[in-house]
Amino acid sequence: MVQDNDIRFMRRCLDLAAKGEGMTCPNPQVGAVVVHDDVIIGEGYHIKAGGPHAEVSAVNSVTDRDLLKNAVLYVNLEPCSHYGKTPPCVDLITSSGIKKVIIGTIDTSDKVAGSGIAFLKDAGCEVVTGVLEQECRWINRRFFTFNEKKRPYIILKWAQSRDGYIDINRQSDKGKGPVWITGSAERVLVHKWRATEQAILAGAGTIRKDDPRLNVREWAGNDPLRLVLSSSGQIDGNSAIFRTNGTNIVFTHKDENEHIKGLKVKLDKNTSSARQVAGFLFNKGIQSVIVEGGREVLDHFISTGYWDEARIFYGRDDFKEGIAAPEVHGRVRSRISFSRSVLELISNEMIQQPQGVDI
């Protein structure tokens, strides 16, 4: 039976795991605490891929090793049982003398898939699972989506005016540049998101109208892999993304444009672009992508079911006319108010089978 303290210590694991956001791929975000007589005596988290795992850091942080034989290890994800860049965590757990392990959720990846729990039980450990399971799955939603659905976790992001438009009606002689709906705080947050996700995607229309760089400037972190979806392949080779350091990939039905710098991927017209992009990224080991528009691209991912989360900024000003915002339905998980907008986070929990709609 789950106790109040079990929930409290698992929440501490989640707080620790969150510190590694954007740094652990392809590994999951994991936090661990070692508890003796309801007091935390050691804790740690997975800081970055290739570094020590959370369980190792937590156990090694305990100063009085004699306490471990009567201690409980809490961890938000099933400990690994295989050799990677580091030895199996279960080996250290059992050799340290810990006899009870409380786990938030099972690791469903092919490399673990219950084998860590089986190892611990065979070694004589008491194992409890399912403590704050949904929260533990949510923090590693990218990892679970990649391993269970065999595609990256797909985030849709846009801003819309109070009256429901994502852009004004553009005239060709008005030049390039974004029309801002949000304020500076929101823009900093968006750059934090870019640093967290492994790839970012925009349509050719957005590249032509806004001329974005699609990189990280207002936050510390790595630039995501830049993706452009263009049916025609007609993109100005002097666009900002091609003049910005980083890697560009253009997905197109026509690949004749020699001015495009970077990799060009030819799309099959008989299969949805979203499905092909998702398959390409999965094969490259990319666990997440944030889609920043425009309307046609966002509608395509929504209509084909290839999305997991939508982050929508609702502005406080009216456009009166323009390009209507997409419509998306799902579970509203949170709302955050800013001076110029309200951010709503929606997760896709509809039972929907991706369709082969072309774009």
Side-chain angles (χ1 to χ4, degrees):
M1 182 178 178
V2 176
Q3 305 295 322
D4 289 344
N5 276 347
D6 294 337
I7 294 175
R8 177 163 65 92
F9 293 131
M10 191 58 69
R11 290 203 186 282
R12 178 56 183 164
C13 291
L14 291 171
D15 289 342
L16 290 166
K19 294 176 181 289
E21 186 179 48
M23 300 299 295
T24 64
C25 286
N27 299 336
Q29 294 173 231
V30 183
V33 297
V34 182
V35 176
H36 182 269
D37 286 343
D38 290 335
V39 176
I40 294 177
I41 60 172
E43 60 182 29
Y45 69 97
H46 189 37
I47 298 175
K48 63 179 181 179
H53 287 191
E55 302 93 322
V56 174
S57 296
V59 171
N60 287 340
S61 72
V62 176
T63 54
D64 187 350
R65 310 287 290 186
D66 290 337
L67 297 179
L68 290 173
K69 61 181 179 294
N70 293 311
V72 179
L73 173 69
Y74 289 80
V75 60
N76 60 288
L77 186 70
E78 176 184 2
C80 66
S81 55
H82 63 282
Y83 280 90
K85 292 184 178 179
T86 60
C89 291
V90 291
D91 286 349
L92 178 66
I93 294 170
T94 55
S95 64
S96 70
I98 291 174
K99 296 299 183 184
K100 184 173 183 178
V101 182
I102 297 182
I103 298 168
T105 187
I106 294 171
D107 182 341
T108 57
S109 65
D110 294 339
K111 291 182 178 180
V112 182
S115 61
I117 292 173
F119 185 100
L120 293 171
K121 287 182 175 180
D122 289 344
C125 290
E126 178 186 353
V127 179
V128 177
T129 61
V131 178
L132 295 183
E133 183 171 11
Q134 291 307 309
E135 291 90 334
C136 292
R137 282 187 60 85
W138 175 255
I139 198 170
N140 278 311
R141 55 198 183 277
R142 300 165 183 84
F143 177 80
F144 283 118
T145 298
F146 185 82
N147 284 286
E148 294 174 1
K149 296 184 178 181
K150 309 303 180 186
R151 64 164 176 80
Y153 188 83
I154 301 171
I155 300 167
L156 310 180
K157 171 261 171 184
W158 72 86
Q160 63 185 68
S161 63
R162 185 172 61 177
D163 52 352
Y165 297 100
I166 62 172
D167 199 358
I168 60 174
N169 289 322
R170 304 281 191 120
Q171 300 297 325
S172 59
D173 59 350
K174 286 189 176 181
K176 295 182 178 180
V179 175
W180 292 111
I181 295 173
T182 59
S184 59
E186 296 95 307
R187 290 196 284 276
V188 170
L189 178 59
V190 168
H191 281 258
K192 179 180 183 293
W193 291 344
R194 289 179 179 180
T196 299
E197 310 311 330
Q198 290 185 281
I200 184 170
L201 182 146
T206 297
I207 302 301
R208 287 189 286 267
K209 290 187 295 185
D210 294 345
D211 199 25
R213 283 175 277 178
L214 300 181
N215 63 352
V216 178
R217 301 184 300 280
E218 300 188 39
W219 194 264
N222 297 322
D223 289 334
L225 177 69
R226 293 191 296 264
L227 316 174
V228 180
L229 187 57
S230 171
S231 181
S232 67
Q234 296 305 307
I235 306 173
D236 185 352
N238 198 41
S239 297
I241 59 168
F242 300 123
R243 293 183 281 105
T244 303
N245 290 334
T247 302
N248 301 304
I249 301 177
V250 176
F251 294 87
T252 178
H253 293 121
K254 300 177 181 178
D255 58 359
E256 293 86 0
N257 191 342
E258 297 179 356
H259 299 291
I260 295 176
K261 303 178 182 69
L263 178 64
K264 287 175 282 188
V265 176
K266 184 75 174 291
L267 296 174
D268 181 354
K269 290 186 177 181
N270 297 316
T271 305
S272 77
S273 299
R275 180 178 181 181
Q276 293 178 78
V277 170
F280 178 90
L281 294 178
F282 175 77
N283 290 331
K284 294 293 184 181
I286 302 297
Q287 290 189 5
S288 66
V289 57
I290 184 166
V291 180
E292 292 201 9
R295 168 65 193 263
E296 185 179 2
V297 171
L298 291 166
D299 274 347
H300 174 66
F301 277 85
I302 292 169
S303 66
T304 55
Y306 279 90
W307 71 280
D308 299 288
E309 186 177 325
R311 299 173 182 179
I312 309 168
F313 290 102
Y314 296 91
R316 304 186 189 277
D317 298 325
D318 292 331
F319 280 2
K320 302 187 184 305
E321 61 179 12
I323 299 175
E327 292 186 10
V328 68
H329 303 283
R331 175 188 172 190
V332 178
R333 299 192 67 96
S334 65
R335 290 187 181 91
I336 303 173
S337 292
F338 296 88
S339 62
R340 291 195 57 186
S341 70
V342 174
L343 169 63
E344 192 168 84
L345 191 155
I346 300 172
S347 60
N348 184 5
E349 298 185 3
M350 300 173 64
I351 300 175
Q352 185 175 1
Q353 190 69 26
Q355 302 298 313
V357 180
D358 187 37
I359 183 174

